Amino acid sequence: MNSGEGKVVCVTGASGYIASWLVKFLLQRGYTVRATVRDPSNPNKVDHLLKLDGAKERLQLFKADLLEEGSFDSVIQGCHGVFHTASPAVFDVDDPQTQLIDPAVKGSLNVVKSCAKSPSVKRVVLTSSIATALFSGRPRTPEVVVDETWFSNPEFLWEKKMWYQYAKTSAEEVATKFLTENNIDYVVMNPAVTIGPLLQPELNGSSYLIFNLINGSETFPNFTFGWINVKDVANAHINAYEDVSASGRYCLAETVMHFSQLTKVLSNIYPTLQIPDKCADDKPLMPTFLISKEKAKTLGIEFIPLEVSLREIIESFKEKKFANF
Ligand code: NAP
């Protein structure tokens, strides 16, 4: 029997990059999925979901907005589990409070409050980010291993105007506090930059990072990021939901690499593509570090190698005709 047979779960922000894979795999495992989107009448947001195997029988679409109080009440009512992935995943904003912080923080609180109103909800899976761990104030150097015990310092992020990281850190904090106080079981996913094939027809923030490298940019950013395949992220969410012994946070990163290295890997796979070989600034390259895989492995994640993820995302760009290759 499929693990999800007879079980109803909610996925918030279902049209997004990670959530679309989550919906696909949940349907594959036999779950009935109540998927929330802001605009169910927009084909770009829902057509790729409606085409998934099992969607006709077991996918239900609902309109819900993070900023509307009570918006998720009726969707979550009667669900066994809730996957809260909806959150703006953008970096370039004019008004961080309304564009990022409110939807992330007030929105998460809104969703977990709806969970508290539905006694059917047995576990909540929160899609947080590795950004809620990396900025603890501890230095990151090649020998340092970041793990689930690391927590980013919101005051530091506020001072540095790192709004996305601030929003995710605050959202994780308020949501887990509320869930703990209300005795609701939860797990937290802390993915690194997520890449791999796209199901949705538009670029999202993390796929754009790779798209930029093959679309004429002359330089790469001076950043070191953790990287993970979107299919591993989606499976980690479901495994953490199904495994009764799962608890707390899970760092999800296959590897950590500076863009200077990643562009070399990309050039080796696609020697004919124009890939930048110059850094965007002349400061020292941001140091690398490590992210622990130990806890994620307990969820059965085997980690798709970065090379495969890069190949998959580039092939996806080709297939969707985002650029002429
Ligand atoms: P995405 O494709 O941009 O999806 C974000 C989703 O959030 C969209 O479905 C969007 O809905 C929804 N959303 C935004 N504002 C909303 C609002 N006010 N009300 C309701 N829904 C709203 O991004 P993603 O990369 O899949 O990210 C999904 C989650 O993973 C986010 O929580 C993000 O912080 C986290 N994450 C992502 C990465 C990554 O590298 N991709 C890494 C770590 C963590 P619409 O479709 O209606 O716009």
Side-chain angles (χ1 to χ4, degrees), residues 13 15 17-18 38 45 66 85 87 128 164 168 191-192 194 206:
S15 58
Y17 177 47
I18 294 176
R38 271 187 291 184
K45 298 290 180 181
L66 289 170
T85 74
S87 198
S128 187
Y164 173 77
K168 292 301 284 182
T194 303
S206 56

